[in-house]
Amino acid sequence: RYVYLPTAPADEVRGSALAHVLRTFFGGSVSSAVAALLESKPLSRDEYDRLSRLLDEAVAAEEGGK
C-alpha cells in the first residue's frame, strides 16, 4: 500500500493553482473571476457580508499604501 503526503504547503499550492486559473480562463483578471463565481450560484447573506468586508479591507489597505 502507498501513502501519499503533500510536499508543499496547501496555501502555496492553492495560490499557484488559482494564479494559473486566473491566467488561463480570465486573462489574469481577478474581477472577472469573482464576477463568474458570484454569477455561478447564490451566496448566503453571511458570505456576501464577508466578501464586502474583505473588499473594504483591501481598499483601505491600498489607500493606506499610497
Side-chain angles (χ1 to χ4, degrees):
R1 167 167 47 174
Y2 296 97
V3 176
Y4 294 94
L5 300 172
T7 59
D11 287 346
E12 182 180 316
V13 174
R14 187 179 304 119
S16 174
L18 185 54
H20 177 72
V21 168
L22 283 172
R23 283 191 313 273
T24 302
F25 296 102
F26 299 100
S29 171
V30 173
S31 62
S32 293
V34 170
L37 288 170
L38 290 172
E39 292 167 356
S40 69
K41 72 173 199 163
L43 300 178
S44 70
R45 183 67 205 171
D46 286 343
E47 290 171 315
Y48 282 118
D49 289 344
R50 179 171 182 245
L51 289 173
S52 180
R53 189 171 52 255
L54 290 169
L55 287 169
D56 290 344
E57 290 170 4
V59 168
E62 180 69 24
E63 289 173 349
K66 289 182 178 178

